[in-house]
Amino acid sequence: MRPLTRHGTSRGAARAVAVVAALSATLLLATGCGVTRGPQSSDLTMLIPNSPGGGYDQTGRAAIAVMENDDITGGSFEVTNVIGAGGSVAMTRLMNAEGDDRTMMTAGLGVVGSLYSFGAPYKLDDATPLAQLIEDQEGVLVPPDSPFETIEDLVEAWQADPGSIVVGGGSSPGGPDHLFPMQLASAVDIDARNVRYVPYDGGGPLTSALLGSKIDVGFSGVGEFTGQLASGELRLLAVSGEERLKGEGISQAPTLTESGIDLVFTNWRGVLAPPGISDERRAELIGMLEEMHETPEWRQALEDNGWIDEFKTGDEFTAFLQEQDERVATTLEELDLL
Amino acid sequence: MDNLSLLMGGFGSVLTPENLMYCAIGVLLGTFVGVLPGIGPAMAVALLLPVTYGLDPVAAFIMFAGIYYGGMYGGSTTAILLNTPGESASVMTALEGNLMARAGRAAQALATAAIGSFIAGTIGTLLVVFFAPALASVAVEIGAPSYFALMVLAMVSVTSVLGGSPLRGFIALFIGLTIGLVGLDLNTGQPRLSFDQPLLADRIDVVVVAVGIFALGEALWVAAHLRRSPVRVIPVGRPWMSRADLKRSWGPWLRGTAYGFPFGAVPAGGAEIPTFMSYITEKRIAARKGQDEFGRGAIEGVAGPEAANNASAAGTFVPLLALGLPVTATSAVMLAAFQGYGIEPGPSLMTDQPDLVWALLASLLIGNVLLLVLNLPLAPVWAKLLRIPRPQLYAGILFFATLGAYATNLQAFDLFLLLLLGLLGLLMRRFALPVLPLILGVILGPLMELKLREAMAISGGEVDALWSEPLAVVIYAIVLIAIVAPLVLRRIRPAPAAVAVEEGLAEDATPDATGDLEEEEKVR
């Protein structure tokens, strides 16, 4: 600030600069620039593979809020959003933190696809899988004036002429909204390569394409469309999970298996630790997540967000990851995207 | 005029001294956070939203409205003063705005931005009040072919800002288009030009490019000439807009509003195209009038794009309130905020919760008024910031530009990218390549590709889908007229006047890079 006063610049300007500088400093602190901590501390770090407000962020932060509130870990969490390449950047950071037993990362189906798209040399189960936390169902959505009243109508028309149906989703190839229609097509004997998939940048643009009848059918997470479904702006033909969902405009939609299609597809999220941590520490971290899962606060968080309680840990989760990885790889291979 | 009485009812519930105080605090907070480089309106609103929690809904609305308008205006302030736009919508404002600031007219630039925002925001909000439901149902009918046609129109318009040397202009444009290609291909999920660097997969942010090329490139260029040129202190201008400034701003404000609102109201419109179209239009009109200051700091070039930006922002309330569709990052943040206040946007919103909606719209209008009242007197104060001596000023710009680039993602890689782009900016100035076509290439290229491929994916590769929408056909007709008309006119009427206008266009299209060059040479 010295040069300012020396040149006799008005105090107003100097003050403005000071305010800006102070605010920037606060901002940097608020976004978290690393906190020094002693070796005895029980503080942990949670890596989130997308931006604040996204799906992984919501799940990760909800879990942290419960653990901090009930003092499950005996310390606090530092949350770092590592944005980039659909989670590959965060995954790289986790793999590089080998042996760091105070770091966790939120991951999910989208990260599996991204690791393939970017040719990453590792898979999710190369880290230390801790637990799956939740599950989200995908839905099959059509505009209200669509000729398709049921999922059977859609499948029939689709089988008759795969090229006549334009499907849209809120994620790029490899993401959940892309994998779901491709796996559905395969399940009803349609060559996935004949599926005409149009990627949209998230639920907003997908909704407007559906409302304007630019595409015939949309595939996306049901949770994002509760408002449009309740008001009848969109119609839900089927849900992808094992059980029907609750809610206005939602509960009447059957599951795929109910409709005679042998496919259960869910978008899931869970927690990983870096590779190379001790078995004792792994068991300890899993124990914390188990304790978190039992709390009423977590029940509430599940209900508030419309998440399905699908909790599995340890080896069961590892096996699940391997199976998921295989399914994603098969789908992408069928589409020549690998 | 049923809506009018409902709006008055909204004012009745909102206008209390206490609420006005909340609104004023919101405007000031929004402005100060929005002024920080790298923080666009979306980020400013997201950061400050928690401040409104715990207030009753009406107080929260009005404070939110203040934060929203303050954040938007704060972003324009940094664009004008420091040449570091916080989001792609204020890139156009930075062009002429910063030139004005360096010519000692920062206060006028800030004032015309504030009044333009006010007028555009007010007209836009009133249009939302009366037409939101009707507009929303029309807007979703507009599909990828029409958007693509608009991009073609914008691309054709780019040719008028290529500058004196078309070759140099096209080189810059193609560098920009190339930068726009970097990243994951949305349709196949394959990385392009990312050199196995996962951090390049999410495309290079337009803001990083603009800050690198504009602010960093400029600072390096000035630094390279510092010893060889005498110290040039930015002249102290008048603190207020003159009558002539006002007269020159009126047209651009209204035309900018007319461009911005429709783009905001359609789901995939955005603010980039209307701000750019407004800039081009004002430049052409100024050239025709023979008083073209573009390239040296034209007030029209700030008034128009700023109004277009704000009108577009107001327009985004149409899909947001009527359909529950967030179409920009800022409106996605707002959707979350509204849900927090108990508003569930959707077609039934206007009938289900009229009290809340009218209180919200009244709040937006009041927030807009307070922004003007609070920020107009501040303009000369901000402008004094530029009286800091050049070495310190540019050091400060470098500091804030770097901070801004880092704050967005907290990735050290972005700093490397910023420096690389800054170097590119320096080289472009050295070889007199205009920077504007480059930025437009980065903005328009990916949008154009996205819409073309969406249209093609929907039609299954049938090219005639591109003119399957009436709106698209109308736009192509305009494109054709824009290309053919000057050629025909020149042939049938080679009057000296017409030729003069054409030449004037070409010469006055001197981009700011060459403008800088000339300026620097004059100094030498």
Side-chain angles (χ1 to χ4, degrees):
Chain A
M1 289 298 127
R2 208 158 12 100
L4 273 176
T5 39
R6 200 177 57 207
H7 287 267
T9 315
S10 86
R11 284 180 53 212
R15 212 177 308 133
V17 173
V19 169
V20 170
L23 271 168
S24 333
T26 330
L27 173 82
L28 271 188
L29 282 179
T31 38
C33 286
V35 184
T36 17
R37 52 182 182 227
Q40 305 305 318
S41 155
S42 1
D43 290 350
L44 295 164
T45 298
M46 177 69 91
L47 303 178
I48 307 262
N50 65 358
S51 50
Y56 296 117
D57 191 63
Q58 286 176 7
T59 310
R61 284 180 197 263
I64 288 169
V66 175
M67 285 193 273
E68 284 188 337
N69 233 1
D70 293 13
D71 199 25
I72 290 173
T73 61
S76 61
F77 270 94
E78 185 201 332
V79 181
T80 311
N81 292 84
V82 186
I83 303 155
S88 305
V89 177
M91 190 63 195
T92 305
R93 189 176 297 187
L94 188 79
M95 294 305 288
N96 288 341
E98 185 165 354
D100 176 358
D101 56 13
R102 290 205 201 148
T103 295
M104 298 188 196
M105 172 180 152
T106 312
L109 184 57
V111 181
V112 178
S114 302
L115 290 178
Y116 276 108
S117 296
F118 294 99
Y122 29 74
K123 301 169 179 171
L124 289 193
D125 59 280
D126 290 337
T128 308
L130 295 178
Q132 176 182 345
L133 297 181
I134 59 137
E135 191 174 277
D136 233 356
Q137 292 209 22
E138 292 264 317
V140 183
L141 303 148
V142 293
D145 55 357
S146 163
F148 308 124
E149 293 291 336
T150 63
I151 184 77
E152 285 87 357
D153 295 346
L154 171 70
V155 168
E156 204 174 302
W158 208 7
Q159 281 168 331
D161 183 4
S164 67
I165 306 285
V166 181
V167 308
S171 51
S172 56
D177 294 358
H178 171 253
L179 294 171
F180 176 41
M182 297 304 164
Q183 293 189 2
L184 177 60
S186 297
V188 297
D189 298 321
I190 295 169
D191 187 343
R193 274 171 298 185
N194 293 336
V195 173
R196 281 168 57 188
Y197 177 79
V198 184
Y200 286 91
D201 188 14
L206 176 64
T207 313
S208 68
L210 277 169
L211 291 178
S213 297
K214 302 295 167 198
I215 52 176
D216 298 303
V217 52
F219 291 82
S220 198
V222 178
E224 266 189 88
F225 298 89
T226 43
Q228 276 91 5
L229 290 170
S231 67
E233 273 179 283
L234 291 177
R235 194 162 65 224
L236 186 63
L237 295 186
V239 291
S240 68
E242 276 170 10
E243 278 171 38
R244 289 190 182 205
L245 294 170
K246 293 188 200 79
E248 198 185 334
I250 297 173
S251 55
Q252 89 293 342
T255 64
L256 291 173
T257 36
E258 260 181 76
S259 316
I261 299 166
D262 184 22
L263 177 69
V264 174
F265 179 97
T266 49
N267 188 8
W268 49 269
R269 296 185 199 117
V271 182
L272 311 173
I277 67 169
S278 69
D279 288 347
E280 296 79 51
R281 182 58 179 168
R282 178 183 180 218
E284 203 179 334
L285 291 173
I286 290 175
M288 290 174 189
L289 292 167
E290 274 169 344
E291 197 178 324
M292 187 268 321
H293 176 246
E294 297 309 317
T295 60
E297 289 97 325
W298 180 247
R299 304 273 130 208
Q300 192 59 44
L302 290 173
E303 193 170 317
D304 290 347
N305 291 291
W307 293 327
I308 301 162
D309 181 23
E310 185 58 50
F311 190 78
K312 46 173 99 69
T313 60
D315 293 341
E316 196 191 343
F317 183 44
T318 310
F320 175 74
L321 286 182
Q322 282 159 349
E323 181 238 6
Q324 288 287 315
D325 190 81
E326 222 162 274
R327 274 171 72 168
V328 171
T330 316
T331 308
L332 292 178
E333 222 162 86
E334 274 171 15
L335 293 165
D336 300 324
L337 280 177
L338 216 57
Chain B
M1 287 292 106
D2 198 22
N3 286 1
L4 198 60
S5 59
L6 286 165
L7 182 64
M8 288 305 141
F11 275 118
S13 63
V14 168
L15 272 177
T16 67
E18 198 190 333
N19 282 347
L20 283 182
M21 186 197 70
Y22 280 124
C23 188
I25 296 174
V27 167
L28 287 178
L29 276 177
T31 310
F32 280 122
V33 173
V35 153
L36 298 176
I39 301 206
M43 188 85 138
V45 172
L47 280 173
L48 289 173
L49 208 54
V51 181
T52 66
Y53 294 158
L55 298 176
D56 70 272
V58 174
F61 278 163
I62 193 159
M63 189 163 182
F64 166 81
I67 291 173
Y68 173 60
Y69 281 115
M72 294 235 300
Y73 181 70
S76 314
T77 308
T78 17
I80 290 171
L81 293 179
L82 304 180
N83 214 359
T84 53
E87 51 153 6
S88 48
S90 44
V91 167
M92 288 297 143
T93 308
L95 284 175
E96 292 301 313
N98 189 251
L99 288 172
M100 279 184 77
R102 282 192 279 151
R105 283 166 51 75
Q108 284 77 9
L110 289 168
T112 199
I115 303 174
S117 304
F118 168 75
I119 290 174
T122 305
I123 296 177
T125 309
L126 287 173
L127 287 173
V128 172
V129 167
F130 295 112
F131 302 113
L135 276 175
S137 53
V138 179
V140 291
E141 294 302 322
I142 298 171
S146 303
Y147 288 119
F148 178 70
L150 273 171
M151 302 301 159
V152 173
L153 178 62
M155 266 304 176
V156 170
S157 317
V158 171
T159 51
S160 69
V161 291
L162 286 180
S165 156
L167 177 64
R168 289 196 167 108
F170 275 112
I171 292 176
L173 179 65
F174 283 110
I175 297 177
L177 289 172
T178 311
I179 294 176
L181 278 178
V182 173
L184 200 65
D185 172 25
L186 188 62
N187 282 57
T188 60
Q190 303 301 305
R192 292 189 301 205
L193 293 182
S194 67
F195 307 102
D196 288 334
Q197 172 53 264
L199 287 167
L200 279 177
D202 296 321
R203 305 188 165 275
I204 301 177
D205 199 320
V206 182
V207 173
V208 177
V209 179
V211 171
I213 301 271
F214 286 179
L216 222 60
E218 174 69 23
L220 291 175
W221 177 251
V222 170
H225 293 82
L226 206 55
R227 286 174 192 284
R228 285 191 276 141
S229 60
V231 176
R232 182 169 56 101
V233 177
I234 289 165
V236 185
R238 301 153 46 100
W240 310 109
M241 284 174 81
S242 67
R243 192 168 294 228
D245 288 332
L246 269 177
K247 219 179 125 201
R248 288 171 57 186
S249 294
W250 264 114
W253 286 336
L254 295 179
R255 282 189 291 268
T257 308
Y259 273 124
F261 186 78
F263 276 89
V266 299
E272 292 88 354
I273 308 286
T275 49
F276 166 62
M277 298 297 260
S278 160
Y279 177 87
I280 296 276
T281 310
E282 296 315 329
K283 189 173 160 58
R284 288 218 171 122
I285 290 176
R288 198 161 305 156
K289 280 188 189 157
Q291 48 184 2
D292 187 358
E293 272 191 64
F294 277 79
R296 281 170 286 141
I299 196 163
E300 295 91 344
V302 181
E306 238 348 74
N309 181 8
N310 261 51
S312 162
T316 57
F317 281 102
V318 170
L320 184 64
L321 292 178
L323 300 172
L325 272 188
V327 289
T328 60
T330 315
S331 58
V333 176
M334 283 197 282
L335 181 64
F338 292 164
Q339 285 164 340
Y341 303 146
I343 289 190
E344 197 56 63
S348 49
L349 173 70
M350 295 275 186
T351 42
D352 285 359
Q353 298 163 302
D355 302 350
L356 286 177
V357 176
W358 294 109
L360 173 69
L361 290 171
S363 298
L364 288 173
L365 288 169
I366 294 169
N368 217 345
V369 175
L370 272 184
L371 173 85
L372 192 66
V373 171
L374 290 173
N375 273 312
L376 213 48
L378 271 180
V381 179
W382 285 118
K384 281 184 185 142
L385 207 63
L386 293 177
R387 284 166 60 192
I388 302 168
R390 248 190 340 170
Q392 285 85 347
L393 177 66
Y394 279 102
I397 291 177
L398 281 183
F399 172 73
F400 281 116
T402 321
L403 186 68
Y406 186 68
T408 338
N409 278 340
L410 298 182
Q411 291 282 3
F413 180 75
D414 287 350
L415 297 182
F416 168 70
L417 212 57
L418 185 75
L419 288 175
L420 210 64
L421 288 163
L423 208 59
L424 178 65
L426 172 70
L427 290 175
M428 290 181 72
R429 283 169 173 80
R430 169 66 186 80
F431 296 107
L433 291 174
V435 294
L436 181 55
L438 182 143
I439 299 290
L440 292 172
V442 179
I443 293 175
L444 296 178
L447 282 174
M448 194 167 179
E449 187 204 351
L450 189 73
K451 291 304 167 191
L452 175 64
R453 295 185 66 177
E454 187 188 327
M456 288 291 100
I458 289 176
S459 77
E462 298 294 329
V463 180
D464 54 7
L466 288 183
W467 43 89
S468 63
E469 289 183 8
L471 183 60
V473 177
V474 173
I475 297 167
Y476 285 126
I478 296 173
V479 171
L480 209 64
I481 293 170
I483 296 173
V484 175
L487 299 175
V488 175
L489 277 182
R490 200 178 302 173
R491 183 144 305 174
I492 57 171
R493 193 163 48 99
V499 175
V501 169
E502 283 302 314
E503 277 173 2
L505 254 179
E507 251 163 49
D508 288 321
T510 319
D512 67 340
T514 31
D516 287 350
L517 196 68
E518 284 161 11
E519 217 174 302
E520 290 295 330
E521 269 160 7
K522 263 180 242 157
V523 171
R524 250 179 269 156

